[in-house]
Amino acid sequence: MTPASTIGAIYQQLSDELAAAGIEEPRLEARMLMSFAAGLEQSRIIGYPEAEIAADTAAKLNNLAERRKTGEPIAYITGHKEFWSLNFKVSEETLIPRPDSETLIEAVLAELPDKSASPRILDLGTGSGCLLMALLSELPNATGLGVDINPETCEIARENAEQLGLTSRAKIKTNDWMTGLDGEFDIIISNPPYIVESEIAALEPDVKKFEPHLALSGGADGLSAYRLIAAQCRAHLPPNGLLAVECGMGQVTDIKGIFEKNNLMVKNVHKDIANVERCILATVQKT
Ligand code: GLN
C-alpha cells in the first residue's frame, strides 16, 4: 500500500503540478481539489500541514489532478460552482456559471426597487438554473419557469432548485425556447448561446473541449438566439414586461438592431466587472 502523506506535502506537490501545467491559480485549485477529495475545510489545509491524508485519498487526488491537467474545468471535476454566493451543481451538460452573468442579476434587481413584488420570471436556456435561482433567492415572492432544450440540464436545474429550497417557486420544463409555452411573464431573462460558430475553435481549451456546444454556439454570426427570443417574446410579455439578456463582447449594437426590428425598446445596457457591455434590458414598445 502506498504510504499516506501529509496535507502539507500533498498541497505543495499538487500546487507545483498544476502550476507546471499552466493553471492560473494553482494553490487555490489545489485546495479546492483537496477539499473536494478529502472533505477538508480549506482553512484546515493551510492550518494543519502535518496532518496525515489516507493513501486512498492521496491516490484519488492524483487522479483528479491528472484530469485538471488535461484542461477539464475544476467545476466539472468537483461538480459544483458558486454563483451569486449560492452553490450550484453543474455537469458537462450545463454551462459553468460565470461571474460576468451576475451583471444580469444586478441589472434586473435594479429595475425592481420593491423586493416584495411577485413577478413571474421566465428563464430561457436555464442550464444549471443559476440565473433563475439567484433572482428567486433575492425576490422571496417571485415565481419562475426555467426552460431548456436539454432534459439532462433540466434535471440538474431541478436539483439546484431543490437544494436551494426553491422548488415551490421554480418550475423547470424541457422546452425549445418559447415554442408552445402559454401565458405571460413579467420578466424574461436569458443567457443564450452567443459565440460565433467559427470562433469556437479559438476558445480556451477548457471551454471548447469540455463545455456544451449547445450552450455556446450562437450560429454563423452568434446572434441566432437573439433573433428567436426577440421574435417570440412579445407574445409572452405584458406592456411593462422586462426582457433581460446577456450578450457577448461587441454584440450590443447588433442585438439592439434585432430588438428594435421586433418592436422592443432598449431601456438600458449594463457593463460587467471588466467594463464590457454584458446585459441589455428591453421592454415591449407600445404600438
Ligand atoms: N460567457 C461564455 C464564454 O464567453 C459564453 C456563454 C454563452 O454563449 N452564453 O465563454
Side-chain angles (χ1 to χ4, degrees), residues 95 98 191-195 207 215-216 246:
L95 192 75
R98 316 281 206 263
N191 173 16
Y194 53 64
I195 310 286
V207 179
L216 292 171
E246 177 168 323

Side-chain angles (χ1 to χ4, degrees), residues 81-262:
K81 176 75 184 178
E82 192 181 291
F83 179 80
W84 200 256
S85 301
L86 301 171
N87 186 23
F88 286 90
K89 177 174 177 174
V90 296
S91 81
E92 286 78 355
E93 300 289 333
T94 68
L95 192 75
I96 299 169
R98 316 281 206 263
D100 298 343
S101 302
E102 296 186 345
T103 310
L104 185 146
I105 305 299
E106 285 162 3
V108 171
L109 291 176
E111 297 291 320
L112 296 171
D114 176 10
K115 300 291 174 279
S116 67
S118 47
R120 204 165 128 68
I121 304 170
L122 172 64
D123 180 15
L124 301 167
T126 196
S128 62
C130 63
L131 294 179
L132 180 62
M133 308 307 161
L135 280 178
L136 293 181
S137 77
E138 295 288 335
L139 302 166
N141 298 315
T143 53
L145 173 65
V147 299
D148 202 291
I149 196 166
N150 180 349
E152 291 181 51
T153 333
C154 288
E155 213 28 68
I156 305 266
R158 272 185 209 108
E159 284 179 44
N160 282 323
E162 185 155 357
Q163 52 119 9
L164 294 167
L166 294 169
T167 313
S168 63
R169 294 193 288 130
K171 298 286 165 250
I172 305 293
K173 184 178 196 291
T174 304
N175 209 68
D176 184 7
W177 301 108
M178 284 164 267
T179 309
L181 279 192
D182 286 330
E184 285 193 333
F185 299 86
D186 305 295
I187 304 171
I188 298 182
I189 57 172
S190 187
N191 173 16
Y194 53 64
I195 310 286
V196 173
E197 175 64 38
S198 61
E199 290 173 6
I200 288 186
L203 295 176
E204 294 292 324
D206 49 349
V207 179
K208 73 172 177 222
K209 271 172 58 189
F210 293 94
E211 296 207 72
H213 186 263
L214 198 60
L216 292 171
S217 174
D221 64 357
L223 301 170
S224 54
Y226 299 101
R227 290 195 188 87
L228 226 140
I229 292 171
Q232 292 188 341
C233 75
R234 278 182 69 89
H236 298 281
L237 277 175
N240 285 318
L242 186 71
L243 171 66
V245 293
E246 177 168 323
C247 54
M249 206 193 283
Q251 291 178 324
V252 163
T253 309
D254 288 338
I255 298 171
K256 275 183 174 173
I258 293 170
F259 281 7
E260 278 154 16
K261 255 193 226 154
N262 286 275

